[in-house]
Amino acid sequence: YRNRKSTPDKFDALLGFTFTLHQYDVWSHDNEGDFGGDTMTASLARMWKTLLQKTDAQLGIDSEYTRPGVTCFLEKFKETVESAYTEPPLKFKFK
């Protein structure tokens, strides 16, 4: 993410990473104690919050399908993450 130069590249990389975390979510419910997941999900949410403040044109996405679709996906990711039983609890405040 940090090595990406353009905003659309950052968007694509973050979406790909988040999608992979959502598809392979074993990390969120099969872990041994404090694995740092709370820090990771908080950082991920901050990155999304920063990116989503940009316009659709800056992100290189369309406003009719992509923005609502990504927002819906992030809501589902939030639901998955925050329903996992971990200590400390995971939070994903991307809005």
Coordinates of all heavy atoms in Angstrom, one line a residue:
Y1 N 0.8 -1.2 0.0 CA 0.0 0.0 0.0 C 0.9 1.2 0.0 O 0.6 2.1 -0.8 CB -1.0 0.0 1.2 CG -1.8 1.2 1.3 CD1 -3.0 1.3 0.6 CD2 -1.5 2.2 2.2 CE1 -3.8 2.4 0.7 CE2 -2.3 3.3 2.3 CZ -3.4 3.4 1.6 OH -4.2 4.5 1.7
R2 N 1.8 1.3 0.9 CA 2.6 2.5 1.0 C 3.5 2.7 -0.2 O 3.9 3.8 -0.5 CB 3.5 2.4 2.3 CG 2.7 2.5 3.5 CD 3.7 2.5 4.7 NE 2.9 2.5 5.9 CZ 2.8 1.5 6.8 NH1 3.4 0.4 6.5 NH2 2.0 1.6 7.8
N3 N 3.9 1.6 -0.9 CA 4.7 1.7 -2.1 C 3.9 2.2 -3.3 O 4.6 2.5 -4.3 CB 5.4 0.4 -2.3 CG 6.4 0.0 -1.2 OD1 6.9 0.9 -0.5 ND2 6.6 -1.2 -1.0
R4 N 2.6 2.2 -3.2 CA 1.8 2.6 -4.4 C 1.9 4.1 -4.5 O 1.7 4.8 -3.6 CB 0.4 2.1 -4.2 CG 0.2 0.7 -3.9 CD 0.6 -0.2 -5.1 NE 0.5 -1.6 -4.7 CZ 0.3 -2.5 -5.6 NH1 0.1 -2.3 -6.8 NH2 0.3 -3.8 -5.2
K5 N 2.1 4.5 -5.8 CA 2.2 6.0 -6.0 C 0.9 6.7 -6.2 O 0.6 7.7 -5.6 CB 3.1 6.2 -7.2 CG 4.5 5.7 -7.1 CD 5.3 6.4 -6.1 CE 6.7 5.8 -6.1 NZ 7.4 6.0 -4.8
S6 N 0.0 6.1 -7.0 CA -1.2 6.8 -7.3 C -2.4 6.3 -6.4 O -2.4 5.3 -5.9 CB -1.6 6.5 -8.8 OG -2.1 5.2 -8.9
T7 N -3.3 7.2 -6.3 CA -4.5 6.9 -5.4 C -5.3 5.7 -5.9 O -5.6 4.9 -5.2 CB -5.4 8.2 -5.3 OG1 -4.6 9.2 -4.7 CG2 -6.6 7.9 -4.4
P8 N -5.5 5.6 -7.3 CA -6.2 4.4 -7.8 C -5.4 3.1 -7.5 O -6.0 2.1 -7.1 CB -6.3 4.6 -9.3 CG -6.3 6.1 -9.4 CD -5.4 6.6 -8.4
D9 N -4.1 3.2 -7.5 CA -3.3 2.0 -7.2 C -3.5 1.6 -5.7 O -3.5 0.5 -5.3 CB -1.8 2.2 -7.5 CG -1.5 2.0 -9.0 OD1 -2.4 1.5 -9.7 OD2 -0.4 2.4 -9.4
K10 N -3.5 2.6 -4.9 CA -3.7 2.4 -3.4 C -5.0 1.8 -3.2 O -5.2 0.8 -2.4 CB -3.5 3.7 -2.6 CG -2.1 4.2 -2.6 CD -2.0 5.5 -1.8 CE -0.6 5.9 -1.8 NZ 0.0 6.4 -0.6
F11 N -6.0 2.3 -3.8 CA -7.4 1.8 -3.7 C -7.4 0.3 -4.1 O -8.0 -0.5 -3.4 CB -8.4 2.6 -4.6 CG -9.8 2.1 -4.5 CD1 -10.6 2.5 -3.5 CD2 -10.3 1.2 -5.5 CE1 -11.9 2.0 -3.5 CE2 -11.5 0.8 -5.5 CZ -12.4 1.1 -4.5
D12 N -6.9 0.0 -5.3 CA -6.9 -1.4 -5.8 C -6.1 -2.3 -4.8 O -6.6 -3.4 -4.5 CB -6.2 -1.5 -7.1 CG -7.1 -0.8 -8.2 OD1 -8.3 -0.5 -8.0 OD2 -6.5 -0.5 -9.3
A13 N -5.0 -1.9 -4.3 CA -4.2 -2.7 -3.4 C -4.9 -3.0 -2.1 O -5.0 -4.1 -1.6 CB -2.8 -2.1 -3.1
L14 N -5.6 -1.9 -1.6 CA -6.3 -2.1 -0.3 C -7.5 -2.9 -0.5 O -7.8 -3.8 0.4 CB -6.6 -0.7 0.2 CG -7.0 -0.6 1.7 CD1 -5.9 -1.1 2.6 CD2 -7.4 0.8 2.1
L15 N -8.2 -2.8 -1.6 CA -9.4 -3.6 -1.8 C -9.0 -5.1 -2.0 O -9.6 -6.0 -1.4 CB -10.1 -3.1 -3.1 CG -11.4 -3.9 -3.4 CD1 -12.4 -3.9 -2.3 CD2 -12.0 -3.3 -4.7
G16 N -7.9 -5.3 -2.7 CA -7.4 -6.7 -2.9 C -7.0 -7.3 -1.5 O -7.4 -8.5 -1.2
F17 N -6.3 -6.6 -0.7 CA -5.9 -7.1 0.6 C -7.1 -7.4 1.5 O -7.2 -8.4 2.1 CB -4.9 -6.1 1.2 CG -4.4 -6.5 2.6 CD1 -3.5 -7.6 2.7 CD2 -4.8 -5.9 3.7 CE1 -3.0 -8.0 3.9 CE2 -4.3 -6.3 5.0 CZ -3.5 -7.4 5.1
T18 N -8.0 -6.4 1.5 CA -9.2 -6.6 2.4 C -10.0 -7.7 1.9 O -10.6 -8.5 2.8 CB -10.0 -5.3 2.5 OG1 -9.1 -4.2 2.8 CG2 -11.1 -5.3 3.5
F19 N -10.2 -7.9 0.6 CA -11.0 -9.0 0.1 C -10.3 -10.3 0.5 O -11.0 -11.3 0.9 CB -11.1 -8.9 -1.4 CG -11.9 -10.0 -2.0 CD1 -13.3 -10.0 -2.0 CD2 -11.2 -11.1 -2.6 CE1 -14.0 -11.0 -2.6 CE2 -12.0 -12.1 -3.2 CZ -13.4 -12.1 -3.2
T20 N -9.0 -10.4 0.4 CA -8.3 -11.6 0.8 C -8.5 -11.9 2.3 O -8.8 -13.1 2.7 CB -6.8 -11.5 0.5 OG1 -6.7 -11.3 -0.9 CG2 -6.1 -12.8 0.8
L21 N -8.4 -10.9 3.1 CA -8.7 -11.1 4.6 C -10.1 -11.6 4.8 O -10.3 -12.4 5.7 CB -8.5 -9.8 5.3 CG -7.0 -9.3 5.5 CD1 -7.0 -8.0 6.2 CD2 -6.2 -10.3 6.3
H22 N -11.0 -11.1 4.0 CA -12.4 -11.5 4.2 C -12.7 -12.9 3.7 O -13.4 -13.7 4.4 CB -13.4 -10.5 3.5 CG -14.8 -10.7 3.8 ND1 -15.7 -11.3 2.9 CD2 -15.5 -10.4 4.9 CE1 -16.9 -11.3 3.5 NE2 -16.8 -10.8 4.7
Q23 N -12.1 -13.3 2.6 CA -12.2 -14.6 2.1 C -11.6 -15.7 3.0 O -12.1 -16.8 3.1 CB -11.6 -14.7 0.7 CG -12.4 -14.0 -0.4 CD -13.8 -14.6 -0.6 OE1 -14.8 -14.0 -0.2 NE2 -13.9 -15.8 -1.2
Y24 N -10.4 -15.4 3.5 CA -9.7 -16.3 4.3 C -9.6 -15.8 5.7 O -8.6 -15.4 6.2 CB -8.3 -16.5 3.7 CG -8.3 -17.0 2.3 CD1 -8.2 -16.1 1.2 CD2 -8.6 -18.4 2.0 CE1 -8.3 -16.6 -0.1 CE2 -8.7 -18.8 0.7 CZ -8.5 -17.9 -0.3 OH -8.6 -18.4 -1.6
D25 N -10.8 -15.8 6.4 CA -10.9 -15.2 7.7 C -10.6 -16.0 8.9 O -10.8 -15.6 10.0 CB -12.4 -14.7 7.8 CG -13.4 -15.8 7.9 OD1 -13.0 -17.0 7.6 OD2 -14.5 -15.5 8.3
V26 N -9.9 -17.1 8.7 CA -9.5 -18.0 9.8 C -8.7 -17.2 10.8 O -8.7 -17.5 12.0 CB -8.8 -19.2 9.3 CG1 -7.4 -18.9 8.7 CG2 -8.6 -20.3 10.4
W27 N -7.9 -16.2 10.4 CA -7.1 -15.4 11.2 C -7.9 -14.7 12.3 O -7.4 -14.4 13.4 CB -6.3 -14.3 10.4 CG -7.2 -13.4 9.7 CD1 -7.7 -13.5 8.5 CD2 -7.8 -12.2 10.2 NE1 -8.6 -12.5 8.2 CE2 -8.6 -11.6 9.2 CE3 -7.7 -11.5 11.5 CZ2 -9.3 -10.5 9.4 CZ3 -8.4 -10.3 11.6 CH2 -9.2 -9.8 10.6
S28 N -9.2 -14.4 12.0 CA -10.0 -13.7 13.0 C -10.7 -14.5 14.0 O -11.2 -14.0 15.0 CB -11.1 -12.9 12.2 OG -12.0 -13.7 11.6
H29 N -10.7 -15.8 13.9 CA -11.4 -16.7 14.9 C -10.6 -17.9 15.3 O -11.0 -18.6 16.2 CB -12.8 -17.1 14.4 CG -12.8 -17.7 13.0 ND1 -12.5 -19.0 12.8 CD2 -13.1 -17.2 11.8 CE1 -12.6 -19.3 11.5 NE2 -13.0 -18.2 10.9
D30 N -9.4 -18.1 14.7 CA -8.6 -19.2 15.1 C -7.2 -18.7 15.4 O -6.3 -18.8 14.5 CB -8.6 -20.3 14.0 CG -7.8 -21.6 14.5 OD1 -7.6 -21.7 15.7 OD2 -7.5 -22.4 13.6
N31 N -7.1 -18.2 16.6 CA -5.8 -17.6 16.9 C -5.4 -17.9 18.4 O -6.3 -18.3 19.1 CB -5.8 -16.1 16.6 CG -6.9 -15.4 17.3 OD1 -6.9 -15.3 18.6 ND2 -7.9 -15.0 16.6
E32 N -4.2 -17.6 18.7 CA -3.8 -17.9 20.1 C -3.6 -16.6 20.8 O -2.6 -16.0 20.7 CB -2.4 -18.7 20.0 CG -2.5 -20.0 19.2 CD -3.5 -21.0 19.8 OE1 -3.6 -21.1 21.0 OE2 -4.1 -21.7 19.0
G33 N -4.6 -16.3 21.6 CA -4.4 -15.1 22.4 C -4.3 -13.8 21.7 O -4.8 -13.6 20.6
D34 N -3.5 -12.9 22.2 CA -3.4 -11.5 21.6 C -2.4 -11.6 20.4 O -1.2 -11.7 20.6 CB -2.8 -10.6 22.7 CG -2.8 -9.2 22.2 OD1 -3.3 -8.9 21.1 OD2 -2.2 -8.3 22.9
F35 N -3.0 -11.6 19.3 CA -2.2 -11.8 18.0 C -2.0 -10.5 17.3 O -1.4 -10.4 16.2 CB -2.8 -12.8 17.1 CG -4.1 -12.4 16.5 CD1 -4.1 -12.1 15.2 CD2 -5.2 -12.4 17.3 CE1 -5.3 -11.7 14.6 CE2 -6.4 -12.1 16.7 CZ -6.5 -11.7 15.4
G36 N -2.5 -9.4 17.9 CA -2.3 -8.1 17.2 C -3.4 -7.7 16.2 O -3.2 -6.8 15.5
G37 N -4.4 -8.6 16.2 CA -5.5 -8.3 15.2 C -6.2 -7.0 15.4 O -6.6 -6.4 14.4
D38 N -6.3 -6.6 16.6 CA -7.0 -5.3 16.9 C -6.3 -4.2 16.3 O -6.8 -3.3 15.8 CB -7.2 -5.2 18.4 CG -5.9 -5.2 19.2 OD1 -5.0 -6.0 18.8 OD2 -5.9 -4.5 20.3
T39 N -4.9 -4.2 16.4 CA -4.1 -3.1 15.8 C -4.2 -3.2 14.3 O -4.3 -2.1 13.6 CB -2.6 -3.3 16.3 OG1 -2.6 -3.3 17.7 CG2 -1.8 -2.2 15.7
M40 N -4.2 -4.4 13.7 CA -4.2 -4.5 12.3 C -5.6 -4.0 11.7 O -5.6 -3.3 10.8 CB -4.0 -6.0 11.9 CG -3.9 -6.2 10.4 SD -5.4 -6.6 9.5 CE -5.9 -8.1 10.3
T41 N -6.7 -4.4 12.3 CA -8.0 -4.0 11.8 C -8.2 -2.5 12.0 O -8.8 -1.8 11.2 CB -9.1 -4.8 12.4 OG1 -9.1 -4.7 13.9 CG2 -9.1 -6.3 12.0
A42 N -7.7 -1.9 13.1 CA -7.8 -0.5 13.3 C -7.0 0.3 12.3 O -7.4 1.3 11.7 CB -7.3 -0.1 14.7
S43 N -5.8 -0.2 11.9 CA -5.0 0.4 10.9 C -5.6 0.3 9.5 O -5.6 1.3 8.8 CB -3.6 -0.2 10.8 OG -2.9 0.0 12.0
L44 N -6.2 -0.9 9.3 CA -6.8 -1.1 8.0 C -8.0 -0.2 7.8 O -8.3 0.5 6.8 CB -7.3 -2.5 7.9 CG -7.9 -3.0 6.6 CD1 -6.9 -2.9 5.4 CD2 -8.4 -4.5 6.7
A45 N -8.8 0.0 8.9 CA -10.0 0.9 8.9 C -9.5 2.3 8.7 O -10.2 3.1 7.9 CB -10.7 0.8 10.2
R46 N -8.4 2.8 9.3 CA -7.9 4.1 9.1 C -7.5 4.4 7.6 O -7.8 5.4 7.0 CB -6.7 4.4 10.0 CG -7.1 4.8 11.4 CD -6.0 5.4 12.2 NE -4.8 4.5 12.3 CZ -4.7 3.5 13.2 NH1 -5.7 3.3 14.1 NH2 -3.6 2.8 13.2
M47 N -6.9 3.4 7.0 CA -6.5 3.5 5.6 C -7.7 3.6 4.7 O -7.8 4.5 3.8 CB -5.7 2.3 5.2 CG -4.3 2.3 5.7 SD -3.3 1.0 5.0 CE -3.4 -0.2 6.3
W48 N -8.8 2.8 5.0 CA -10.0 3.0 4.2 C -10.7 4.3 4.5 O -11.2 4.9 3.5 CB -11.0 1.8 4.6 CG -10.7 0.6 3.8 CD1 -10.3 -0.6 4.2 CD2 -10.9 0.5 2.4 NE1 -10.2 -1.5 3.1 CE2 -10.6 -0.8 2.0 CE3 -11.4 1.4 1.4 CZ2 -10.7 -1.3 0.7 CZ3 -11.4 0.9 0.0 CH2 -11.1 -0.4 -0.3
K49 N -10.7 4.7 5.7 CA -11.3 6.0 6.0 C -10.6 7.2 5.2 O -11.3 8.0 4.7 CB -11.2 6.3 7.5 CG -12.0 7.5 8.0 CD -11.9 7.7 9.5 CE -13.2 7.3 10.1 NZ -13.3 7.6 11.5
T50 N -9.3 7.1 5.2 CA -8.6 8.1 4.4 C -8.9 8.1 2.9 O -9.1 9.1 2.3 CB -7.1 8.0 4.7 OG1 -6.8 8.1 6.1 CG2 -6.3 9.0 3.9
L51 N -8.9 6.9 2.4 CA -9.1 6.7 0.9 C -10.5 7.1 0.6 O -10.8 7.8 -0.5 CB -8.9 5.3 0.5 CG -7.5 4.9 0.0 CD1 -7.4 3.5 -0.5 CD2 -7.0 5.9 -1.1
L52 N -11.5 6.7 1.4 CA -12.9 7.0 1.0 C -13.3 8.5 1.1 O -14.4 8.8 0.7 CB -13.8 6.1 1.9 CG -13.7 4.6 1.5 CD1 -14.6 3.8 2.5 CD2 -14.1 4.3 0.1
Q53 N -12.4 9.3 1.7 CA -12.7 10.7 1.7 C -12.4 11.3 0.4 O -12.8 12.4 0.1 CB -11.8 11.4 2.8 CG -12.2 11.0 4.2 CD -11.3 11.6 5.2 OE1 -10.3 12.2 4.9 NE2 -11.6 11.4 6.5
K54 N -11.7 10.6 -0.5 CA -11.4 11.1 -1.8 C -12.6 11.0 -2.8 O -13.5 10.2 -2.5 CB -10.1 10.4 -2.4 CG -8.9 10.6 -1.5 CD -7.7 10.2 -2.2 CE -6.5 10.4 -1.3 NZ -6.2 11.8 -1.0
T55 N -12.6 11.7 -3.8 CA -13.7 11.7 -4.8 C -13.5 10.4 -5.6 O -12.5 9.8 -5.7 CB -13.6 12.9 -5.7 OG1 -12.5 12.8 -6.6 CG2 -13.7 14.2 -5.0
D56 N -14.6 10.0 -6.3 CA -14.6 8.9 -7.1 C -13.6 9.1 -8.3 O -12.9 8.1 -8.6 CB -16.0 8.6 -7.7 CG -17.0 8.2 -6.6 OD1 -16.6 7.7 -5.5 OD2 -18.2 8.4 -6.8
A57 N -13.5 10.3 -8.8 CA -12.6 10.5 -9.9 C -11.1 10.4 -9.4 O -10.3 9.8 -10.1 CB -12.8 12.0 -10.4
Q58 N -10.8 10.8 -8.2 CA -9.5 10.6 -7.6 C -9.2 9.2 -7.4 O -8.0 8.7 -7.6 CB -9.3 11.4 -6.3 CG -9.3 12.9 -6.4 CD -9.4 13.6 -5.1 OE1 -10.2 13.2 -4.2 NE2 -8.5 14.5 -4.8
L59 N -10.2 8.4 -7.0 CA -10.0 6.9 -6.8 C -10.0 6.1 -8.1 O -9.5 5.0 -8.1 CB -11.1 6.4 -5.9 CG -11.1 6.9 -4.4 CD1 -12.3 6.4 -3.7 CD2 -9.8 6.4 -3.7
G60 N -10.5 6.7 -9.1 CA -10.5 6.0 -10.4 C -11.7 5.0 -10.4 O -11.5 4.0 -11.1
I61 N -12.8 5.3 -9.7 CA -13.9 4.4 -9.7 C -15.2 5.1 -10.2 O -15.2 6.4 -10.2 CB -14.1 3.8 -8.3 CG1 -14.5 5.0 -7.3 CG2 -12.9 3.1 -7.8 CD1 -14.8 4.5 -5.9
D62 N -16.2 4.4 -10.5 CA -17.5 5.0 -10.8 C -18.4 5.1 -9.6 O -18.3 4.3 -8.6 CB -18.2 4.3 -11.9 CG -18.8 2.9 -11.5 OD1 -19.9 3.0 -11.0 OD2 -18.1 1.9 -11.7
S63 N -19.2 6.1 -9.6 CA -20.0 6.4 -8.4 C -21.3 5.6 -8.4 O -21.9 5.4 -7.3 CB -20.4 7.9 -8.3 OG -21.0 8.3 -9.5
E64 N -21.7 5.0 -9.5 CA -23.0 4.3 -9.6 C -22.9 2.9 -9.0 O -23.8 2.4 -8.4 CB -23.5 4.2 -11.1 CG -24.9 3.6 -11.2 CD -25.4 3.7 -12.6 OE1 -24.7 4.2 -13.5 OE2 -26.5 3.2 -12.8
Y65 N -21.8 2.2 -9.3 CA -21.7 0.8 -8.9 C -20.5 0.6 -7.9 O -20.7 -0.2 -7.0 CB -21.5 -0.1 -10.1 CG -22.7 -0.1 -11.0 CD1 -22.6 0.6 -12.2 CD2 -23.9 -0.7 -10.7 CE1 -23.7 0.6 -13.1 CE2 -25.0 -0.6 -11.5 CZ -24.9 0.0 -12.7 OH -26.0 0.1 -13.5
T66 N -19.3 1.1 -8.2 CA -18.2 0.7 -7.5 C -18.2 1.3 -6.1 O -18.0 0.5 -5.1 CB -16.9 1.2 -8.2 OG1 -16.9 0.7 -9.5 CG2 -15.6 0.7 -7.5
R67 N -18.5 2.6 -5.9 CA -18.5 3.1 -4.5 C -19.5 2.4 -3.6 O -19.2 1.9 -2.5 CB -18.7 4.6 -4.5 CG -18.9 5.1 -3.1 CD -18.2 6.2 -2.6 NE -17.1 6.9 -3.2 CZ -16.1 7.4 -2.5 NH1 -16.1 7.3 -1.2 NH2 -15.2 8.1 -3.1
P68 N -20.8 2.3 -4.1 CA -21.7 1.5 -3.3 C -21.4 0.1 -3.0 O -21.6 -0.5 -1.9 CB -23.1 1.6 -4.0 CG -22.9 2.7 -5.0 CD -21.4 2.8 -5.3
G69 N -20.8 -0.6 -4.0 CA -20.4 -2.0 -3.9 C -19.3 -2.1 -2.9 O -19.3 -3.0 -2.0
V70 N -18.3 -1.2 -2.9 CA -17.2 -1.3 -2.0 C -17.7 -1.0 -0.6 O -17.3 -1.7 0.4 CB -16.0 -0.4 -2.4 CG1 -15.0 -0.2 -1.3 CG2 -15.4 -0.9 -3.6
T71 N -18.6 0.0 -0.4 CA -19.1 0.3 0.9 C -19.9 -0.9 1.5 O -19.7 -1.2 2.6 CB -20.0 1.6 0.8 OG1 -19.3 2.7 0.3 CG2 -20.6 2.0 2.2
C72 N -20.7 -1.5 0.6 CA -21.4 -2.7 1.1 C -20.4 -3.8 1.5 O -20.6 -4.5 2.5 CB -22.3 -3.2 0.0 SG -23.3 -4.7 0.4
F73 N -19.4 -4.0 0.7 CA -18.4 -5.1 1.0 C -17.7 -4.7 2.4 O -17.6 -5.6 3.2 CB -17.3 -5.2 -0.1 CG -16.1 -5.9 0.4 CD1 -16.1 -7.2 0.6 CD2 -14.9 -5.2 0.6 CE1 -15.0 -7.9 1.1 CE2 -13.8 -5.8 1.0 CZ -13.8 -7.2 1.3
L74 N -17.4 -3.5 2.6 CA -16.7 -3.1 3.8 C -17.6 -3.2 5.0 O -17.2 -3.6 6.1 CB -16.2 -1.6 3.7 CG -15.0 -1.5 2.8 CD1 -14.6 0.0 2.7 CD2 -13.8 -2.3 3.2
E75 N -18.9 -3.0 4.8 CA -19.9 -3.3 5.9 C -19.9 -4.7 6.3 O -20.0 -5.1 7.4 CB -21.3 -2.8 5.5 CG -21.5 -1.3 5.5 CD -21.5 -0.6 6.8 OE1 -21.6 -1.3 7.9 OE2 -21.4 0.6 6.9
K76 N -19.9 -5.6 5.3 CA -19.9 -7.1 5.5 C -18.6 -7.5 6.2 O -18.6 -8.3 7.1 CB -20.1 -7.8 4.2 CG -21.5 -7.6 3.7 CD -21.9 -8.7 2.7 CE -23.3 -8.5 2.2 NZ -24.3 -8.7 3.2
F77 N -17.5 -6.9 5.8 CA -16.2 -7.2 6.4 C -16.2 -6.8 7.9 O -15.8 -7.5 8.7 CB -15.1 -6.5 5.6 CG -13.7 -6.7 6.2 CD1 -13.1 -7.9 6.0 CD2 -13.0 -5.8 6.9 CE1 -11.8 -8.2 6.5 CE2 -11.8 -6.0 7.4 CZ -11.2 -7.2 7.2
K78 N -16.8 -5.6 8.1 CA -16.9 -5.1 9.5 C -17.7 -6.0 10.3 O -17.3 -6.4 11.5 CB -17.5 -3.7 9.5 CG -17.9 -3.1 10.8 CD -18.6 -1.8 10.7 CE -19.1 -1.2 12.0 NZ -18.1 -0.7 12.8
E79 N -18.8 -6.5 9.8 CA -19.7 -7.5 10.5 C -18.9 -8.8 10.8 O -19.0 -9.3 11.9 CB -20.9 -7.8 9.6 CG -22.0 -8.6 10.2 CD -23.1 -8.7 9.2 OE1 -23.8 -7.7 8.9 OE2 -23.3 -9.9 8.8
T80 N -18.2 -9.3 9.9 CA -17.4 -10.5 10.1 C -16.4 -10.3 11.1 O -16.2 -11.1 12.1 CB -16.7 -10.9 8.8 OG1 -17.8 -11.2 7.8 CG2 -15.9 -12.2 9.0
V81 N -15.6 -9.2 11.0 CA -14.5 -8.9 11.9 C -15.0 -8.7 13.4 O -14.5 -9.3 14.3 CB -13.7 -7.7 11.5 CG1 -12.8 -7.1 12.5 CG2 -12.9 -8.0 10.2
E82 N -16.1 -7.9 13.5 CA -16.5 -7.5 14.8 C -17.4 -8.6 15.5 O -17.6 -8.6 16.7 CB -17.3 -6.2 14.8 CG -16.4 -5.0 14.4 CD -17.0 -3.7 14.5 OE1 -18.2 -3.6 14.7 OE2 -16.3 -2.7 14.3
S83 N -17.8 -9.6 14.7 CA -18.5 -10.7 15.4 C -17.6 -11.9 15.8 O -18.0 -12.8 16.4 CB -19.6 -11.3 14.4 OG -19.0 -11.9 13.3
A84 N -16.3 -11.8 15.4 CA -15.3 -12.8 15.8 C -15.0 -12.7 17.3 O -14.9 -11.6 17.8 CB -14.0 -12.6 15.0
Y85 N -14.9 -13.8 17.9 CA -14.6 -13.8 19.3 C -13.1 -13.8 19.5 O -12.3 -14.7 19.2 CB -15.1 -15.1 20.0 CG -14.7 -15.1 21.5 CD1 -15.3 -14.3 22.4 CD2 -13.7 -15.9 21.9 CE1 -15.0 -14.2 23.7 CE2 -13.3 -15.9 23.3 CZ -13.9 -15.1 24.1 OH -13.5 -15.0 25.5
T86 N -12.6 -12.6 19.9 CA -11.2 -12.4 20.2 C -11.0 -11.5 21.4 O -11.9 -10.8 21.7 CB -10.4 -11.8 19.0 OG1 -10.9 -10.5 18.8 CG2 -10.5 -12.6 17.7
E87 N -9.9 -11.6 22.0 CA -9.5 -10.7 23.1 C -8.2 -10.1 22.7 O -7.2 -10.8 22.5 CB -9.4 -11.5 24.4 CG -10.7 -11.9 25.0 CD -11.6 -10.7 25.3 OE1 -11.0 -9.6 25.7 OE2 -12.8 -10.8 25.2
P88 N -8.1 -8.8 22.6 CA -9.2 -7.9 22.7 C -10.1 -7.9 21.5 O -9.7 -8.4 20.5 CB -8.5 -6.5 22.8 CG -7.2 -6.7 22.1 CD -6.8 -8.1 22.4
P89 N -11.3 -7.4 21.6 CA -12.3 -7.5 20.5 C -11.8 -6.7 19.3 O -11.1 -5.7 19.4 CB -13.6 -6.8 21.0 CG -13.4 -6.8 22.5 CD -11.9 -6.8 22.8
L90 N -12.1 -7.2 18.1 CA -11.7 -6.5 16.9 C -12.7 -5.4 16.5 O -13.9 -5.6 16.6 CB -11.6 -7.5 15.7 CG -10.6 -8.6 15.9 CD1 -10.7 -9.6 14.8 CD2 -9.2 -8.1 16.1
K91 N -12.2 -4.3 16.1 CA -13.1 -3.2 15.6 C -12.6 -2.8 14.2 O -11.5 -2.9 13.9 CB -13.0 -2.0 16.5 CG -13.4 -2.2 17.9 CD -14.9 -2.4 18.0 CE -15.3 -2.7 19.4 NZ -16.6 -3.3 19.5
F92 N -13.6 -2.3 13.4 CA -13.3 -1.9 12.0 C -14.2 -0.7 11.7 O -15.3 -0.8 11.2 CB -13.6 -3.0 11.0 CG -13.2 -2.7 9.6 CD1 -11.8 -2.6 9.3 CD2 -14.1 -2.4 8.6 CE1 -11.4 -2.3 8.0 CE2 -13.7 -2.1 7.4 CZ -12.4 -2.0 7.0
K93 N -13.7 0.5 12.2 CA -14.4 1.8 12.0 C -13.9 2.5 10.8 O -13.0 3.4 10.9 CB -14.2 2.6 13.3 CG -14.8 1.9 14.5 CD -14.6 2.8 15.7 CE -15.2 2.0 16.9 NZ -15.1 2.8 18.1
F94 N -14.4 2.1 9.6 CA -13.9 2.7 8.4 C -14.7 3.9 8.0 O -14.3 4.6 7.0 CB -14.0 1.6 7.2 CG -15.4 1.3 6.8 CD1 -15.9 1.9 5.6 CD2 -16.2 0.4 7.4 CE1 -17.2 1.7 5.2 CE2 -17.5 0.1 7.0 CZ -18.0 0.8 5.9
K95 N -15.8 4.3 8.7 CA -16.6 5.5 8.3 C -16.2 6.6 9.2 O -15.8 6.5 10.3 CB -18.0 5.2 8.5 CG -18.6 4.3 7.4 CD -20.0 4.1 7.5 CE -20.6 3.3 6.4 NZ -22.0 3.1 6.5

